[in-house]
């Protein structure tokens, strides 16, 4: 579908999930593309036509919207959250295709399926929207950190009793933990010399190599990948093929569990001092840890079981970060889950069509169960003995 057709698209009341998702995928909402604003406008128009009250925001050039059933409501009972931005892909990836019960295309799993779901739920509940207290938060900067999106909105007073964020875990599991991240630039200085006379110089590259060798020994991989991981993601040294490099740099992507960061930083600084390199923080993302003994988790699981006939009682660890870290830091219980899909950030990103329909039914029934304006805040209170949680370490070990 051409951009001109997208910009003047007519909103159809009975738009199917496939049609809606196809239109969202067609917006090339990558970093730096104006399609982000066009997509946000399409979403806002769709929601406002159906009775939602939409507020628009822009921070550091990144747009966002919050739509609520109650005008001016900053703390609804349920907030449905998603991001419209995607990572770059080939042009063909922005034309959604269907094959053997799966939808393929950039963003179908990460995470435009969630936006389409939220829009469909509003459409279905349109006649009775005034009976509910829920909101929809759509941002456009999650793939580059989320600071100008979810964090900005939370810092300006938005919140919720519970947030549903379908941006982590897999196959209906619920995220209990998400690894934090520390992106580190490692630099080393030496003395340049001719490549044929290395004894007259001091190789900065050798310092980086020795430091990395020691780091790999210090943080060995675990079989289940739940421990600290250290990945070399960038390396630069020298300006000429026949010169001992006087300067070298490397970039590390370090992922860790809740509570492990102080110890990792301490150990890495010791190694840096030993091998005469310097550490510089490029970015730091806090790990996420949530208590699964929550009435919000219980109510979601109850709905999932009623729709699917089963529920996943094992809670999982997400290796990557999401906007959940901002929500959890504000004390907002956040349900991070999604239906079957995969290939996110790849050329064959997909989501299962039948399970997407189930997910839509779950979101609608969850809103109907817990977000009525006349409903007391506490709906059901689970007991801790009800849970069969996966045992996950609270700190990284080595």
């Amino acid at each position: 579908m051409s951009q001109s057709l997208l910009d003047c698209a007519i909103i159809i009341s009975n738009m199917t999930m496939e049609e809606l998702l196809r239109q969202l995928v067609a917006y090339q909402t990558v970093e730096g593309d104006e399609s982000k604003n066009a997509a946000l406008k399409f979403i806002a128009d769709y929601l406002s036509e159906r009775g939602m009250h939409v507020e628009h925001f822009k921070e550091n050039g990144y747009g966002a919207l919050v739509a609520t059933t109650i005008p001016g409501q900053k703390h609804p009972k349920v907030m449905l959250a998603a991001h419209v931005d995607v990572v770059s892909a080939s042009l063909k990836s922005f034309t959604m295709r269907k094959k053997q019960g799966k939808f393929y295309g950039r963003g179908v799993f990460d995470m435009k399926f969630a936006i389409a779901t939220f829009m469909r739920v509003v459409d279905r509940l349109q006649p009775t929207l005034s009976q509910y207290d829920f909101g929809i938060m759509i941002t456009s900067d999650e793939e580059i950190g989320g600071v100008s999106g979810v964090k900005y909105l939370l810092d300006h007073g938005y919140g919720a009793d519970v947030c549903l964020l379908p941006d982590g875990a897999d196959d209906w599991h619920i995220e209990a933990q998400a690894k934090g991240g520390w992106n580190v630039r490692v630099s080393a200085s030496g003395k340049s010399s001719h490549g044929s006379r290395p004894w007259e110089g001091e190789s900065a590259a050798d310092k980086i190599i020795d430091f990395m060798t020691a780091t790999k020994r210090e943080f060995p991989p675990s079989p289940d990948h739940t421990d600290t991981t250290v990945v070399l993601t960038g390396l630069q040294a020298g300006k000429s093929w026949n010169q001992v490099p006087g300067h070298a740099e490397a970039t590390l992507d370090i992922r860790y569990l809740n509570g492990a960061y102080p110890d990792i930083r301490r150990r890495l600084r010791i190694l840096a001092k030993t091998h005469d390199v310097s550490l510089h923080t490029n970015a730091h993302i806090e790990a996420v840890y949530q208590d699964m003994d929550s009435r919000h988790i219980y109510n979601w699981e109850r709905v999932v079981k009623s729709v699917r006939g089963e529920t996943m009682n094992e809670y999982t660890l997400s290796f990557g970060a999401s906007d959940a870290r901002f929500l959890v830091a504000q004390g907002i219980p956040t349900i991070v889950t999604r239906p079957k899909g995969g290939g996110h950030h790849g050329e064959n990103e997909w989501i299962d069509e039948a399970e997407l329909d189930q997910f839509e039914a779950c979101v609608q029934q969850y809103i109907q169960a817990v977000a009525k304006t006349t409903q007391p805040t506490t709906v059901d209170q689970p007991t801790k003995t009800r849970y069969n949680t996966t045992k996950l370490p609270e700190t990284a070990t080595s």
Side-chain angles (χ1 to χ4, degrees), residues 90-136:
S90 63
L91 189 60
K92 66 179 182 180
S93 294
F94 294 97
T95 300
M96 193 180 82
R97 65 191 191 278
K98 179 179 175 180
K99 183 179 180 181
Q100 296 179 338
K102 297 178 181 178
F103 295 132
Y104 290 85
R106 174 57 79 239
V108 293
F109 191 54
D110 186 17
M111 59 178 300
K112 290 180 177 179
F113 84 90
I115 300 174
T117 297
F118 301 162
M119 294 167 75
R120 288 267 297 172
V121 168
V122 168
D123 187 64
R124 289 178 177 273
L125 295 179
Q126 181 181 359
T128 57
L129 273 183
S130 61
Q131 299 178 17
Y132 299 99
D133 178 14
F134 71 92
I136 297 174

Side-chain angles (χ1 to χ4, degrees), residues 135-209:
I136 297 174
M137 180 182 289
I138 308 295
T139 60
S140 64
D141 73 327
E142 193 274 345
E143 297 292 358
I144 61 163
V147 173
S148 299
V150 169
K151 186 178 187 303
Y152 172 82
L153 293 170
L154 294 175
D155 288 346
H156 284 74
Y158 279 93
D161 289 352
V162 61
C163 179
L164 176 63
L165 178 68
D167 196 23
D170 288 309
D171 198 14
W172 299 93
H173 291 286
I174 300 174
E175 178 186 285
Q177 296 192 53
K179 283 189 173 184
W182 184 23
N183 187 268
V184 184
R185 178 171 60 88
V186 185
S187 64
S189 297
K191 179 183 177 182
S192 298
S193 69
H194 195 280
S196 66
R197 305 176 69 85
W199 57 88
E200 294 181 355
E202 183 184 25
S203 174
D206 285 349
K207 293 182 180 181
I208 295 285
I209 292 170

